[in-house]
Amino acid sequence: MRRLPWVLIPAALALGAAGCGTSPDRSGALSGADSGARTAAAGLGKLHSTATQAFVRADGKAQRLVGPNVQPVWDARSGDTWAQPAYTAIKAKGFTSVRFVLFWDDFEPRKGAWNETAFKTLSTALGRARSAGLYVVLDCVHLYGQPEGQGRVPAWARKADGMGAVASNGLRFLQQLAARYGANPALAAYDPVNEPYRWPVNHKSVLADYTKIVNAIRAKDAKTGIAIEPTYGDARVPSSAFASFKPTRRSNLIWSVHDYYTGNAGVGFDRNDIGTSPNASDGTTGYKPADKANLAKHLQVHLDMAKKVKLPVWIGEFGIGGRAAGHDQFIKDKVALFKSKGLGYAWWEYSDNGTFSMVNGNGSWKAWAGLVR
């Protein structure tokens, strides 16, 4: 339930982190020094999902995706993006994936009018991630802000809430992504709607909208994984709500949870079954190690439900503000919990205005970044 407004990466910071002070290589080509990245790219094979494992290789072995959330398109009017060294460094740090945060209005500012600059930038970013040997999850429509999660939904497409906007007007955009990138072996999954807004909470209607979304993507891409999120990313959803989820094909689907819970309120759901707030998503709420047991109780609610509906689980976002109390211990305890359950996860986020950022202004890793592994 990350409710912070998005802060665009300042160009100076981005260039420093991307290329050690040099301009991004817009071509996406690798230098001779990056021959190891070519080998890493060649090793990527298309992943699939089972009822218990979110990502599985062709040989049947589970592939745990762990890495940061990354914004690949900085400005819809330019091709500036992270250079190859940024992705190479992420891989060298021991991570296996990145979750690309996309904003719909960058790509379709007017109905049916595609911004090819944004798509070209995304193609470059996907190519660089692949070259580094990183899998990519596409956070296709990142909802946040007002009205009702539609801060970056194109004005022409807005409805009563963000989820309704995507289900009514965003299927064409999702199909564009599937048609353009579905065959890429580095694309591990689509995460079509980030933290679907719906108030009053109505899980059945959200899952009915997901039926439309999944079917639309499957019309263009029959195999790549598709992640489904609970309302606001962390709501408690009863398995009975899945009666309204009726996709044509129910394979390669994943239940993706955003877990910022700090254990400060028992199991951690309010009377509307939304994850307890405040939590670490606000950038300031801290963590008390004495609440560690509640982290497991909260996550288990999601795991139990997912098991009932035969969906594997992946943690699409977790994080805590850099200056929040208990910062390092929160990461240690969350990562240990996720690993104990065999779950992959994505840290929020690689680089922002400093609240959650894993890197410094010069592109070097913060001292605690290794804890996320």
Side-chain angles (χ1 to χ4, degrees), residues 241-320:
F242 276 79
S244 64
F245 182 58
K246 301 177 180 179
T248 303
R249 288 191 291 271
R250 195 165 171 167
S251 58
N252 291 326
L253 297 175
I254 302 155
W255 188 246
S256 181
V257 178
H258 294 180
D259 189 2
Y260 293 95
Y261 184 50
T262 57
N264 54 324
V267 177
F269 297 95
D270 66 19
R271 60 188 179 88
N272 295 301
D273 279 336
I274 297 174
T276 299
S277 182
N279 57 46
S281 70
D282 63 12
T284 59
T285 295
Y287 170 64
K288 297 178 181 179
D291 293 331
K292 177 180 176 179
N294 288 337
L295 303 185
K297 293 177 182 177
H298 183 82
L299 179 61
Q300 196 61 46
V301 170
H302 294 294
L303 296 177
D304 289 345
M305 188 285 300
K307 184 177 181 179
K308 288 180 180 178
V309 298
K310 298 181 180 180
L311 290 178
V313 174
W314 187 69
I315 308 298
E317 291 181 19
F318 89 107
I320 188 171

Side-chain angles (χ1 to χ4, degrees), residues 67-71 98-99 101 139 316-317 346-351:
N69 279 266
V70 174
Q71 182 185 344
V98 288
R99 180 175 180 257
V101 179
D139 170 15
E317 291 181 19
W347 172 264
W348 186 269
E349 63 186 308
Y350 178 62
S351 178

Side-chain angles (χ1 to χ4, degrees), residues 78-167:
S78 80
D80 288 347
T81 188
W82 297 102
Q84 186 65 55
Y87 295 103
T88 303
I90 291 171
K91 179 65 174 180
K93 195 68 172 175
F95 296 114
T96 56
S97 64
V98 288
R99 180 175 180 257
F100 276 173
V101 179
L102 309 181
F103 298 105
W104 180 7
D105 60 353
D106 282 339
F107 296 86
E108 193 182 8
R110 299 181 307 281
K111 186 176 182 179
W114 305 115
N115 179 4
E116 292 299 333
T117 298
F119 279 108
K120 184 177 180 181
T121 304
L122 177 57
S123 296
T124 297
L126 184 57
R128 290 174 179 172
R130 180 185 178 186
S131 293
L134 294 167
Y135 283 103
V136 175
V137 174
L138 287 184
D139 170 15
C140 304
V141 180
H142 192 85
L143 296 180
Y144 84 93
Q146 296 301 324
E148 293 299 316
Q150 298 176 93
R152 293 297 301 272
V153 169
W156 64 267
R158 292 178 179 177
K159 290 288 186 179
D161 57 50
M163 186 60 166
V166 178

Side-chain angles (χ1 to χ4, degrees), residues 55 62-66 96-97 314 338-339 342-345 373:
F55 300 103
Q63 174 67 60
R64 201 160 62 93
L65 298 194
V66 175
T96 56
S97 64
W314 187 69
F338 298 154
K339 286 185 175 181
L343 304 179
Y345 50 88
R373 290 201 306 271

